[in-house]
Amino acid sequence: MTSKNTVHEASFRDPSGHLFYDGDVLRRRIFPIYFKQYKQLSEEGFFSTLSRKRILIPHTETSVSDTEIIITPEVIPFITYPYEWSFEQYKQAALLTLRIQKYALSKGFILKDASAYNVTLFEGSPIFIDTLSFDFYEEGTPWRAYKQFITHFLGPLGLAKYHGTDMFKMMQTHIDGIPVKLIASLLPGKSKLSSTLYTNIHLLAKMEGKHSEDYKAESKVARLSLKAQNTILDSLYDYIKKLSLQEATEWGDYYTKTNYDAQAFEAKKKLIKSWVAPLAAKRIIDVGGNDGTFARALESDAHLIVTDIDANAVDQNFAKAQKNKEQNMLAFVCDVLQPVPNIGFNNTERSSLLNRLQAYAPDVTMALALIHHITLSGNVPFEKSAVFFASFSKYLIIEFPEREDSWVTSLLVRKREFIDHFDFYNSVNFEAGFTPYFELEKKETIPGTSRILYLFKKR
Amino acid sequence: MSLLYFDVGVGAMIVQGIVAATAAIVLFSKGIMYKIKLFFGLIKESDYDSIDIDENDTSVDDK
């Protein structure tokens, strides 16, 4: 072991083991209390089947002793959290969790916790990342992680169905899942007409309320047959599979209403591609990258992150990546004006967006048609935006739409009598704000538009 | 042996019996509807995999 052997900040709840950094490598330490489960899961091919099918993150056994077993899971380039997922991503994560529990039951095991944080996005699909989440099934016991599944998955999805994907952000303030009572109170009355939502949420909330004063855990433990448990899983799967979202899109069809023609669009693609290619990037992020159109135009083998404020655009990108089997594309929801903070115990359990981006260290950051939103909608001075991008970027390709651009004009006129406060919005001040942090490498007006493309290198 | 480190909720353990009973009735009636629709050729193929994981299928699950 190297001297740097620190336990992962999010890995302390489960006594079976924990994640730790061995130098830069993330490994998992398993304690003797979990040896029996681990050995049986390994020997019966449980891990290997799920790993082969990319349902569970694959791992290799690094060392075995009487006091600990060390395994090394495959590296995931960037961890995303439930409150950063689009509807379809969240839905697939829920379905994955149910499939795993059903499979586990068929093999005499259970998923002992159903936290949404045990799933992340990897190679274009959700994957289960907590290898120690399995335990032996005991005949006749109900699913212990059932309530967790409801508060982490069914609840948020049900709320999103009626109120939109912003509801997922509640997971940020309720790190251990949204309380059942709260979910029940937020769901509209008509949700009681759904037998799934009525029994799994409204009735559950009632029962939980009734038994909340069982301080000594004196209530008789309920029994449930294996068949009944499988029925619950089947019915939840059936319901979630058919869930859909009725939410108008902010940017979903953005490219059909661009203010420049197809020729300029192609010119922009070509220009960006020609700037990125010589940088030989391994990791690229497109901040505010909509459905990934420009990230795809790079035709790069690099790992690509495309974020957008609009969950529908992320959904479209996610669907495209799955359809084309693009394993290097990671899409998630991100509002740059309010990036995800550090949360949880000691403020260290779930990492902020900036911490994760700094660790990811993208070679190229793209911010196309974004700065006018940050500056004019968010009232953020150019220097502040420069600090933001400089905190994680090496090369920055940023598009600056000038005042003549119709989007900018539209944002400016909405300022009404305060329009004079935004006289600073021009390319001279933009450059002045960015050059203390970045060296200007290239600058070119996109033909047929009032937009300038810049290539900056961090100082 | 139980390695439980979070509160499962007593209500949540009890409610599962009722949930399962309701789900059984719903799934049973849906099964009948499915057969009727199948008979009339009204079934569209789902975009999603089945809940049951096929061990012998060597393809990677992507949905």
Side-chain angles (χ1 to χ4, degrees), chain A residues 44-56:
Chain A
E44 291 185 8
F46 185 90
F47 287 144
S48 59
T49 302
L50 293 185
S51 301
R52 177 169 49 81
K53 297 186 83 68
R54 310 306 269 182
I55 287 171
L56 173 71

Side-chain angles (χ1 to χ4, degrees), chain A residues 89-242:
Chain A
Q89 290 171 335
Y90 214 116
K91 191 171 145 176
Q92 288 190 20
L95 296 176
L96 179 91
T97 305
L98 292 172
R99 296 182 80 206
I100 294 173
Q101 165 66 356
K102 192 156 185 210
Y103 179 71
L105 277 178
S106 76
K107 297 286 159 194
F109 296 101
I110 57 155
L111 198 52
K112 66 177 177 181
D113 64 70
S115 159
Y117 296 98
N118 283 343
V119 181
T120 199
L121 301 168
F122 180 55
E123 294 181 342
S125 289
I127 194 158
F128 199 81
I129 53 175
D130 186 7
T131 314
L132 310 190
S133 269
F134 304 95
D135 206 341
F136 298 120
Y137 171 67
E138 284 171 55
E139 190 66 41
T141 51
W143 187 19
R144 292 174 189 139
Y146 167 78
K147 185 178 154 193
Q148 213 179 13
F149 183 83
I150 303 301
T151 60
H152 280 247
F153 287 109
L154 184 70
L157 282 165
L159 290 173
K161 171 187 160 79
Y162 292 103
H163 305 294
T165 47
D166 264 357
M167 284 288 147
F168 295 155
K169 292 182 184 152
M170 285 181 76
M171 289 294 284
Q172 209 172 290
T173 45
H174 297 281
I175 197 166
D176 199 20
I178 310 171
V180 189
K181 254 192 163 166
L182 184 57
I183 300 168
S185 72
L186 289 170
L187 283 173
K190 62 182 172 190
S191 66
K192 288 184 180 167
L193 298 174
S194 151
S195 63
T196 307
L197 292 183
Y198 180 73
T199 49
N200 290 284
I201 291 174
H202 294 289
L203 193 62
L204 173 61
K206 227 179 251 178
M207 296 289 265
E208 284 287 285
K210 208 171 146 191
H211 294 275
S212 63
E213 285 175 17
D214 181 28
Y215 298 119
K216 294 178 187 161
E218 282 169 335
S219 300
K220 205 168 156 245
V221 178
R223 308 289 295 169
L224 190 76
S225 71
L226 181 62
K227 186 166 176 264
Q229 196 173 153
N230 278 321
T231 306
I232 296 179
L233 297 173
D234 284 339
S235 107
L236 286 171
Y237 194 87
D238 192 54
Y239 179 81
I240 293 172
K241 189 171 80 174
K242 289 177 187 153

Side-chain angles (χ1 to χ4, degrees), chain A residues 152-446:
Chain A
H152 280 247
F153 287 109
L154 184 70
L157 282 165
L159 290 173
K161 171 187 160 79
Y162 292 103
H163 305 294
T165 47
D166 264 357
M167 284 288 147
F168 295 155
K169 292 182 184 152
M170 285 181 76
M171 289 294 284
Q172 209 172 290
T173 45
H174 297 281
I175 197 166
D176 199 20
I178 310 171
V180 189
K181 254 192 163 166
L182 184 57
I183 300 168
S185 72
L186 289 170
L187 283 173
K190 62 182 172 190
S191 66
K192 288 184 180 167
L193 298 174
S194 151
S195 63
T196 307
L197 292 183
Y198 180 73
T199 49
N200 290 284
I201 291 174
H202 294 289
L203 193 62
L204 173 61
K206 227 179 251 178
M207 296 289 265
E208 284 287 285
K210 208 171 146 191
H211 294 275
S212 63
E213 285 175 17
D214 181 28
Y215 298 119
K216 294 178 187 161
E218 282 169 335
S219 300
K220 205 168 156 245
V221 178
R223 308 289 295 169
L224 190 76
S225 71
L226 181 62
K227 186 166 176 264
Q229 196 173 153
N230 278 321
T231 306
I232 296 179
L233 297 173
D234 284 339
S235 107
L236 286 171
Y237 194 87
D238 192 54
Y239 179 81
I240 293 172
K241 189 171 80 174
K242 289 177 187 153
L243 265 185
S244 64
L245 197 61
Q246 299 293 324
E247 192 187 37
T249 172
E250 182 177 359
W251 298 113
D253 55 351
Y254 178 76
Y255 292 123
T256 58
K257 51 183 184 196
T258 47
N259 58 0
Y260 46 97
D261 59 21
Q263 222 176 341
F265 195 69
E266 287 309 312
K268 181 171 159 184
K269 276 189 191 169
K270 219 172 130 187
L271 190 57
I272 295 167
K273 193 180 168 189
S274 71
W275 284 6
V276 172
L279 302 176
K282 289 200 169 61
R283 292 173 300 278
I284 299 173
I285 178 167
D286 187 355
V287 184
N290 200 272
D291 63 358
T293 299
F294 285 96
R296 282 193 181 83
L298 298 174
E299 295 176 349
S300 167
D301 292 334
H303 185 261
L304 303 169
I305 291 182
V306 176
T307 71
D308 204 275
I309 189 171
D310 178 24
N312 287 297
V314 173
D315 246 358
Q316 289 188 15
N317 191 3
F318 181 65
K320 263 184 212 173
Q322 284 198 326
K323 193 171 159 230
N324 304 336
K325 300 203 182 303
E326 299 160 339
Q327 299 200 337
N328 60 339
M329 173 69 79
L330 172 66
F332 64 91
V333 181
C334 158
D335 177 359
V336 278
L337 291 174
Q338 198 188 309
V340 161
N342 287 317
I343 62 164
F345 194 61
N346 274 334
N347 281 154
T348 52
E349 272 186 83
R350 312 287 166 221
S351 243
S352 73
L353 177 80
L354 277 178
N355 283 353
R356 281 174 293 149
L357 283 181
Q358 281 154 12
Y360 180 71
D363 301 304
V364 176
T365 303
M366 302 203 293
L368 309 172
L370 181 68
I371 191 72
H372 55 307
H373 290 292
I374 300 180
T375 313
L376 300 175
S377 306
N379 293 357
V380 179
F382 289 129
E383 298 79 29
K384 284 252 180 203
S385 297
V387 170
F388 168 73
F389 287 114
S391 70
F392 61 88
S393 310
K394 194 166 152 197
Y395 285 97
L396 171 67
I397 295 178
I398 186 163
E399 180 183 24
F400 184 82
E402 297 195 87
R403 293 181 82 90
E404 296 73 38
D405 182 89
S406 64
W407 281 104
V408 178
T409 312
S410 149
L411 287 169
L412 281 170
V413 294
R414 279 186 246 168
K415 301 289 180 186
R416 299 186 183 257
E417 64 267 38
F418 295 106
I419 192 166
D420 298 344
H421 294 225
F422 296 88
D423 283 347
F424 72 89
Y425 187 88
N426 58 50
S427 60
V428 175
N429 287 328
F430 167 73
E431 286 171 32
F434 273 68
T435 40
Y437 305 94
F438 292 96
E439 270 172 59
L440 178 60
E441 296 247 313
K442 284 177 186 165
K443 174 182 172 183
E444 212 170 312
T445 302
I446 301 166

Side-chain angles (χ1 to χ4, degrees), chain A residues 13 33 37 52-54 88 91 99 102-103 107 113 125 143 200 208 232 237-238 322 325, chain B residues 1 3 5-6 10-12 14 16 19 26 30 48-50 52 54-55 57 60-63:
Chain A
R13 290 218 162 83
I33 189 176
Q37 284 88 335
R52 177 169 49 81
K53 297 186 83 68
R54 310 306 269 182
E88 184 62 29
K91 191 171 145 176
R99 296 182 80 206
K102 192 156 185 210
Y103 179 71
K107 297 286 159 194
D113 64 70
S125 289
W143 187 19
N200 290 284
E208 284 287 285
I232 296 179
Y237 194 87
D238 192 54
Q322 284 198 326
K325 300 203 182 303
Chain B
M1 182 176 61
L3 289 178
Y5 48 92
F6 60 87
V10 180
I14 298 168
Q16 288 183 59
V19 173
V26 173
K30 275 191 178 166
Y48 298 94
D49 286 322
S50 144
D52 298 303
D54 182 0
E55 290 175 347
D57 178 10
V60 169
D61 285 17
D62 53 10
K63 243 186 209 186

